[in-house]
Amino acid sequence: VAEQTSTGPRGRYRQQVRSEVLERAWEQIAAAGASALSLKAIAKQMGMTAPALYRYVASRDDLLTELILAAYRDLADVAETAAGTEGPARARLTAIAQAIRVWALTNAHRYLLIYGTPVPGYQAPPEATALASRIFAPVVAGFAATGPAGDPRSSPEQAMRRSLVFWTRLHGVISLEAAGHFTGMAVDPARLYAGEVESVVADLR
Amino acid sequence: VAEQTSTGPRGRYRQQVRSEVLERAWEQIAAAGASALSLKAIAKQMGMTAPALYRYVASRDDLLTELILAAYRDLADVAETAAGTEGPARARLTAIAQAIRVWALTNAHRYLLIYGTPVPGYQAPPEATALASRIFAPVVAGFAATGPAGDPRSSPEQAMRRSLVFWTRLHGVISLEAAGHFTGMAVDPARLYAGEVESVVADLR
DNA sequence: TGTACATCAGTGAACGCGCGTTCACTGATGTAC
DNA sequence: TGTACATCAGTGAACGCGCGTTCACTGATGTAC
């Protein structure tokens, strides 16, 4: 099902419809959560009948897997791009943190699909783990490149430890914000986030 | 439906069945997530027919609301009890943090139901907000009682700011752990958590 | 340029399933005399 | 202590709904000669 002609006029059409399917799927997840993802509903929204979707997708679960992997890949790209920022490690890490936050808030459902409450009964494919490391890698690289002022470099263990703290602190703010748990609390999440980033990165050269 | 005889033999029986309904509901949420909560499934598990449950519960949504409020209340009790610890504010805050973690990991689905990805399409009752503050209050009180070494007290603003940082850092670790995102990562979550608690609390008297 | 043919996107009917909720009812249980 | 009665927990049938998925099919579209 997945791999058929991808060139010529038919191939172009296929890819176009396929990408609309994915788009509608995201809309549904955003509106009603991953467990409400429904092929029939997608088909209806696209003005088609449900069986037609099986030309583009192997099954409901397969679609969900594709969406999750796409989200991972998307975020990994964002992190890697930000890691390309010129300048010292500290600036790079700050850039990564900011890029992740922007992406997470723009794509709250995607972020929560990756790092939020696991979709019940759904088993992530092994590929997901690899992609999770791809997101994490630029952070570890950043901390490995520079140690606290004075030390030019970090040990791998220290870099790993700091990366974990970096990750959990950022996730703490982002996930609460993305899930809407700050509303009505007189919190400035952007400032809070910036402060948390600083807290991990402040003593780097 | 909700309020009927609660004394005498019939009342006792009612409360017993009622609490079994809630128990089974939690089991379901733990197994398949909040959106899979089903009255028919609960009834089946209890060896009853579904309509019988309407003696104990007004509707599916009402049951979900009760469960969420119960989780809030439970965690608030835990936090308040820990806040009763003898000694300086720093010890109290550490005790609160530890108690929250233990509760959150023992009741991962409950914790995620409160602080995780919102249940799609479900609107939390206003009462939930009040309970959320009840959980937060002991932390704020802890930070208000003592300032950084030297200062005997904190301003309310500073106490609030530190409480927020406390909260987001703890949530960062707990939520990732509860959702299983540390598995296969060679992380010691307990140590990481303890370090994060220290990071906020270290400079208190 | 025109025709025959193969490809393949999409349809419509059907399957078995589980859901929340209502309704009129049965029959056991507790209570009042 | 015994009987009549009210209470009320639980049943079974039924409703309309949406789900994933299969299957044989139609008919438009692109391609090869």
Side-chain angles (χ1 to χ4, degrees):
Chain A
V1 166
E3 294 320 320
Q4 284 178 347
T5 334
S6 61
T7 55
R10 263 186 179 149
R12 251 193 308 282
Y13 177 79
R14 264 191 78 73
Q15 291 190 333
Q16 191 179 306
V17 175
R18 210 186 126 72
S19 77
E20 192 183 342
V21 171
L22 297 179
E23 210 176 293
R24 301 289 181 198
W26 279 122
E27 286 173 18
Q28 278 204 12
I29 288 181
S35 49
L37 181 65
S38 146
L39 294 184
K40 281 205 167 158
I42 293 172
K44 195 185 216 172
Q45 239 181 75
M46 293 180 65
M48 302 169 77
T49 59
L53 287 193
Y54 285 81
R55 296 259 166 212
Y56 303 95
V57 135
S59 69
R60 194 208 96 116
D61 268 26
D62 194 74
L63 172 59
L64 187 54
T65 297
E66 280 183 54
L67 292 171
I68 289 177
L69 293 181
Y72 271 109
R73 256 180 255 116
D74 213 29
L75 180 54
D77 289 348
V78 163
E80 281 169 6
T81 302
T85 304
E86 296 290 320
R90 179 173 160 173
R92 251 178 9 249
L93 287 167
T94 305
I96 294 174
Q98 292 304 333
I100 290 180
R101 177 164 183 267
V102 168
W103 186 87
L105 298 183
T106 313
N107 304 278
H109 40 284
R110 283 183 175 87
Y111 184 85
L112 293 173
L113 195 58
I114 298 181
Y115 290 120
T117 313
V119 179
Y122 174 80
Q123 176 74 326
E127 214 176 328
T129 314
L131 286 166
S133 321
R134 222 188 102 199
I135 297 172
F136 201 47
V139 174
V140 180
F143 281 109
T146 328
D151 304 5
R153 312 193 126 261
S154 269
S155 70
E157 293 78 30
Q158 183 150 18
M160 190 62 191
R161 220 178 314 133
R162 296 193 77 162
S163 301
L164 266 175
V165 171
F166 189 77
W167 183 37
T168 58
R169 288 194 189 168
L170 304 200
H171 172 74
V173 180
I174 290 179
S175 68
L176 288 171
E177 188 178 6
H181 287 300
F182 285 150
T183 49
M185 267 197 73
V187 179
D188 179 349
R191 239 185 87 196
L192 179 58
Y193 190 78
E196 288 299 84
V197 174
E198 263 309 283
S199 74
V200 194
V201 136
D203 69 342
L204 297 184
R205 267 184 317 132
Chain B
V1 166
E3 295 319 320
Q4 285 178 346
T5 332
S6 61
T7 54
R10 264 186 177 148
R12 252 194 306 283
Y13 177 80
R14 264 190 80 74
Q15 291 191 334
Q16 191 178 306
V17 175
R18 209 185 128 71
S19 78
E20 193 182 341
V21 171
L22 298 179
E23 210 176 293
R24 301 290 181 197
W26 279 123
E27 284 173 20
Q28 278 204 14
I29 288 181
S35 48
L37 182 64
S38 145
L39 293 184
K40 280 205 167 159
I42 293 172
K44 196 186 215 173
Q45 239 182 75
M46 292 180 66
M48 301 169 75
T49 59
L53 287 193
Y54 285 81
R55 296 259 166 210
Y56 303 95
V57 136
S59 69
R60 194 208 95 115
D61 268 25
D62 193 74
L63 172 59
L64 187 55
T65 296
E66 281 182 53
L67 292 171
I68 290 177
L69 293 180
Y72 270 110
R73 254 180 256 117
D74 214 28
L75 181 53
D77 289 348
V78 163
E80 281 169 6
T81 302
T85 303
E86 295 292 318
R90 180 173 160 175
R92 250 177 12 248
L93 288 166
T94 306
I96 294 175
Q98 292 304 332
I100 290 179
R101 177 164 183 267
V102 169
W103 186 87
L105 298 183
T106 313
N107 304 278
H109 40 283
R110 283 184 176 87
Y111 183 84
L112 293 173
L113 195 58
I114 298 180
Y115 290 120
T117 314
V119 180
Y122 173 79
Q123 175 74 327
E127 213 177 328
T129 314
L131 286 166
S133 322
R134 222 189 102 199
I135 297 172
F136 201 47
V139 174
V140 180
F143 281 108
T146 327
D151 303 7
R153 312 195 126 263
S154 269
S155 70
E157 293 77 27
Q158 182 150 17
M160 189 61 191
R161 220 177 314 132
R162 298 193 77 163
S163 300
L164 267 175
V165 170
F166 189 77
W167 182 38
T168 57
R169 287 193 189 170
L170 303 199
H171 172 74
V173 179
I174 290 179
S175 67
L176 287 171
E177 188 178 5
H181 286 300
F182 285 149
T183 50
M185 268 198 73
V187 179
D188 179 349
R191 239 184 87 197
L192 179 57
Y193 190 78
E196 287 299 85
V197 173
E198 263 309 283
S199 74
V200 194
V201 137
D203 69 342
L204 296 184
R205 268 184 316 132

Coordinates of all heavy atoms in Angstrom, one line a residue, chain B residues 5 10 13-14 48-49 51-52 55-56, chain D residues 6-15:
Chain B
T5 N -29.7 7.3 50.5 CA -29.4 6.7 51.9 C -27.9 6.4 52.0 O -27.4 5.7 51.1 CB -30.2 5.5 52.1 OG1 -31.4 5.5 51.4 CG2 -30.5 5.3 53.6
R10 N -28.4 -0.9 53.9 CA -28.5 -0.6 52.4 C -27.4 0.5 52.1 O -26.8 0.4 51.1 CB -29.9 -0.1 52.0 CG -30.7 -1.2 51.5 CD -32.0 -0.7 50.9 NE -32.8 -1.8 50.3 CZ -34.1 -1.9 50.3 NH1 -34.8 -1.0 50.9 NH2 -34.7 -2.9 49.7
Y13 N -24.0 -1.1 51.9 CA -23.8 -1.8 50.7 C -23.6 -0.8 49.5 O -22.7 -1.0 48.7 CB -25.1 -2.6 50.4 CG -25.1 -3.4 49.1 CD1 -24.3 -4.6 49.0 CD2 -25.7 -2.9 48.0 CE1 -24.3 -5.3 47.8 CE2 -25.7 -3.6 46.8 CZ -25.0 -4.8 46.7 OH -24.9 -5.4 45.5
R14 N -24.4 0.2 49.4 CA -24.3 1.2 48.4 C -22.8 1.7 48.3 O -22.2 1.8 47.2 CB -25.2 2.4 48.7 CG -26.5 2.4 48.0 CD -27.2 3.8 48.2 NE -26.6 4.8 47.3 CZ -26.9 4.8 46.0 NH1 -27.7 3.9 45.5 NH2 -26.4 5.7 45.2
M48 N -22.0 -7.1 36.4 CA -23.4 -6.5 36.4 C -23.7 -6.1 34.9 O -22.8 -6.2 34.1 CB -23.4 -5.3 37.2 CG -23.0 -5.5 38.7 SD -22.7 -3.9 39.5 CE -24.4 -3.4 39.7
T49 N -24.9 -5.6 34.8 CA -25.2 -5.0 33.5 C -25.0 -3.5 33.6 O -25.0 -2.9 34.7 CB -26.7 -5.3 33.1 OG1 -27.5 -4.7 34.1 CG2 -26.9 -6.8 32.9
P51 N -26.7 -0.7 32.8 CA -27.7 0.2 33.4 C -27.6 0.2 34.9 O -28.0 1.3 35.5 CB -29.0 -0.3 32.9 CG -28.7 -1.1 31.6 CD -27.3 -1.7 31.9
A52 N -27.2 -0.9 35.5 CA -27.1 -0.9 37.0 C -26.2 0.2 37.5 O -26.4 0.7 38.6 CB -26.7 -2.3 37.4
R55 N -27.2 3.6 39.1 CA -27.6 3.7 40.5 C -26.5 4.4 41.2 O -26.7 4.9 42.3 CB -27.8 2.4 41.1 CG -29.0 1.6 40.5 CD -30.2 1.8 41.4 NE -31.4 1.3 40.7 CZ -32.6 1.8 40.9 NH1 -32.8 2.7 41.8 NH2 -33.6 1.4 40.2
Y56 N -25.2 4.4 40.7 CA -24.1 4.8 41.5 C -23.4 6.0 40.9 O -22.5 6.6 41.5 CB -23.1 3.7 41.6 CG -23.7 2.5 42.3 CD1 -24.3 1.4 41.5 CD2 -23.9 2.4 43.6 CE1 -24.9 0.3 42.1 CE2 -24.5 1.3 44.3 CZ -25.0 0.3 43.5 OH -25.6 -0.8 44.1
Chain D
dA6 P -47.3 0.4 50.2 OP1 -48.2 1.6 50.4 OP2 -47.4 -0.5 49.1 O5' -45.8 1.0 50.3 C5' -45.4 1.5 51.6 C4' -43.9 1.7 51.5 O4' -43.2 0.4 51.5 C3' -43.3 2.4 50.3 O3' -42.3 3.3 50.7 C2' -42.9 1.3 49.4 C1' -42.4 0.3 50.4 N9 -42.5 -1.1 49.9 C8 -43.6 -1.7 49.3 N7 -43.5 -2.9 49.0 C5 -42.2 -3.2 49.5 C6 -41.4 -4.4 49.5 N6 -41.9 -5.6 49.0 N1 -40.2 -4.4 50.1 C2 -39.8 -3.3 50.6 N3 -40.4 -2.1 50.7 C4 -41.6 -2.1 50.1
dT7 P -41.6 4.3 49.7 OP1 -41.4 5.6 50.4 OP2 -42.4 4.2 48.4 O5' -40.2 3.6 49.5 C5' -39.5 3.3 50.7 C4' -38.3 2.5 50.3 O4' -38.7 1.1 49.9 C3' -37.4 3.0 49.2 O3' -36.1 3.0 49.6 C2' -37.7 2.0 48.0 C1' -37.9 0.7 48.8 N1 -38.6 -0.3 48.1 C2 -38.1 -1.6 48.1 O2 -37.1 -1.9 48.7 N3 -38.9 -2.6 47.4 C4 -40.0 -2.3 46.7 O4 -40.6 -3.3 46.1 C5 -40.5 -1.0 46.7 C7 -41.8 -0.6 46.0 C6 -39.8 0.0 47.4
dC8 P -35.0 4.0 48.9 OP1 -34.2 4.5 50.0 OP2 -35.7 4.9 48.0 O5' -34.1 3.0 48.1 C5' -33.8 1.7 48.5 C4' -33.5 0.8 47.4 O4' -34.6 0.1 46.9 C3' -32.9 1.6 46.1 O3' -31.9 0.8 45.6 C2' -34.1 1.6 45.2 C1' -34.6 0.1 45.5 N1 -35.9 -0.2 45.0 C2 -36.2 -1.6 44.8 O2 -35.4 -2.4 45.2 N3 -37.4 -1.9 44.3 C4 -38.3 -1.0 43.9 N4 -39.5 -1.4 43.4 C5 -38.0 0.4 44.0 C6 -36.8 0.7 44.6
dA9 P -30.4 1.4 45.6 OP1 -30.0 1.7 47.0 OP2 -30.3 2.4 44.6 O5' -29.6 0.1 45.2 C5' -29.6 -1.1 46.1 C4' -29.5 -2.3 45.3 O4' -30.7 -2.7 44.7 C3' -28.5 -2.3 44.1 O3' -27.8 -3.5 44.0 C2' -29.4 -2.0 42.9 C1' -30.6 -2.8 43.3 N9 -31.9 -2.2 42.8 C8 -32.3 -0.9 42.7 N7 -33.5 -0.7 42.2 C5 -33.9 -2.0 41.9 C6 -35.1 -2.4 41.3 N6 -36.1 -1.6 40.9 N1 -35.2 -3.7 41.0 C2 -34.2 -4.5 41.4 N3 -33.0 -4.2 42.0 C4 -32.9 -2.9 42.2
dG10 P -26.7 -3.7 42.9 OP1 -25.8 -4.7 43.5 OP2 -26.2 -2.4 42.5 O5' -27.5 -4.4 41.7 C5' -27.9 -5.7 41.8 C4' -28.8 -6.0 40.6 O4' -29.9 -5.1 40.6 C3' -28.1 -5.8 39.3 O3' -28.1 -7.1 38.6 C2' -28.9 -4.8 38.5 C1' -30.3 -4.9 39.3 N9 -31.1 -3.7 39.1 C8 -30.7 -2.4 39.4 N7 -31.7 -1.5 39.2 C5 -32.7 -2.3 38.6 C6 -34.0 -1.9 38.1 O6 -34.4 -0.8 38.0 N1 -34.7 -3.0 37.6 C2 -34.2 -4.3 37.6 N2 -35.1 -5.2 37.1 N3 -33.1 -4.7 38.1 C4 -32.3 -3.6 38.6
dT11 P -27.6 -7.2 37.1 OP1 -26.9 -8.5 37.0 OP2 -27.0 -6.0 36.6 O5' -29.0 -7.4 36.4 C5' -29.9 -8.4 36.9 C4' -31.1 -8.6 35.9 O4' -31.9 -7.3 35.9 C3' -30.6 -8.8 34.4 O3' -31.4 -9.9 33.9 C2' -31.0 -7.5 33.7 C1' -32.1 -6.9 34.5 N1 -32.2 -5.4 34.6 C2 -33.3 -4.8 34.1 O2 -34.3 -5.4 33.6 N3 -33.3 -3.4 34.3 C4 -32.4 -2.6 34.8 O4 -32.5 -1.4 34.9 C5 -31.2 -3.4 35.3 C7 -30.1 -2.6 36.0 C6 -31.2 -4.7 35.2
dG12 P -30.8 -10.7 32.7 OP1 -31.2 -12.1 33.0 OP2 -29.4 -10.4 32.5 O5' -31.7 -10.2 31.5 C5' -33.1 -10.0 31.6 C4' -33.7 -9.3 30.4 O4' -33.7 -7.9 30.6 C3' -32.9 -9.5 29.1 O3' -33.8 -9.6 28.1 C2' -32.0 -8.3 29.0 C1' -33.0 -7.2 29.6 N9 -32.4 -6.1 30.2 C8 -31.1 -5.9 30.7 N7 -30.9 -4.7 31.1 C5 -32.1 -4.0 30.9 C6 -32.4 -2.7 31.1 O6 -31.7 -1.8 31.6 N1 -33.7 -2.3 30.7 C2 -34.6 -3.2 30.1 N2 -35.8 -2.8 29.8 N3 -34.3 -4.5 29.9 C4 -33.0 -4.8 30.3
dA13 P -33.4 -10.2 26.6 OP1 -34.0 -11.5 26.5 OP2 -32.0 -10.0 26.4 O5' -34.2 -9.1 25.7 C5' -35.4 -8.5 26.2 C4' -35.6 -7.2 25.6 O4' -35.0 -6.1 26.4 C3' -35.1 -7.0 24.2 O3' -36.1 -6.4 23.4 C2' -33.9 -6.1 24.4 C1' -34.3 -5.2 25.5 N9 -33.3 -4.6 26.3 C8 -32.1 -5.1 26.7 N7 -31.3 -4.3 27.3 C5 -32.0 -3.1 27.3 C6 -31.7 -1.8 27.8 N6 -30.6 -1.5 28.4 N1 -32.6 -0.8 27.6 C2 -33.8 -1.1 27.0 N3 -34.2 -2.3 26.5 C4 -33.2 -3.3 26.7
dA14 P -36.0 -6.4 21.8 OP1 -37.3 -6.8 21.3 OP2 -34.8 -7.1 21.4 O5' -35.8 -4.9 21.5 C5' -36.5 -3.9 22.3 C4' -35.8 -2.6 22.2 O4' -34.7 -2.5 23.2 C3' -35.1 -2.3 20.9 O3' -35.9 -1.4 20.1 C2' -33.8 -1.6 21.3 C1' -33.8 -1.5 22.8 N9 -32.5 -1.8 23.4 C8 -31.7 -2.9 23.3 N7 -30.6 -2.8 24.0 C5 -30.6 -1.6 24.5 C6 -29.7 -0.8 25.3 N6 -28.6 -1.4 25.7 N1 -30.0 0.4 25.6 C2 -31.2 0.9 25.2 N3 -32.1 0.4 24.5 C4 -31.8 -0.9 24.2
dC15 P -35.5 -0.9 18.7 OP1 -36.7 -0.5 18.0 OP2 -34.6 -1.9 18.1 O5' -34.6 0.4 19.0 C5' -35.3 1.5 19.6 C4' -34.3 2.7 19.6 O4' -33.5 2.5 20.8 C3' -33.2 2.6 18.5 O3' -33.7 3.0 17.3 C2' -32.2 3.5 19.2 C1' -32.2 3.1 20.6 N1 -31.2 2.1 21.0 C2 -30.2 2.4 21.9 O2 -30.2 3.6 22.3 N3 -29.2 1.6 22.2 C4 -29.2 0.3 21.6 N4 -28.2 -0.5 22.0 C5 -30.2 -0.1 20.7 C6 -31.2 0.8 20.4

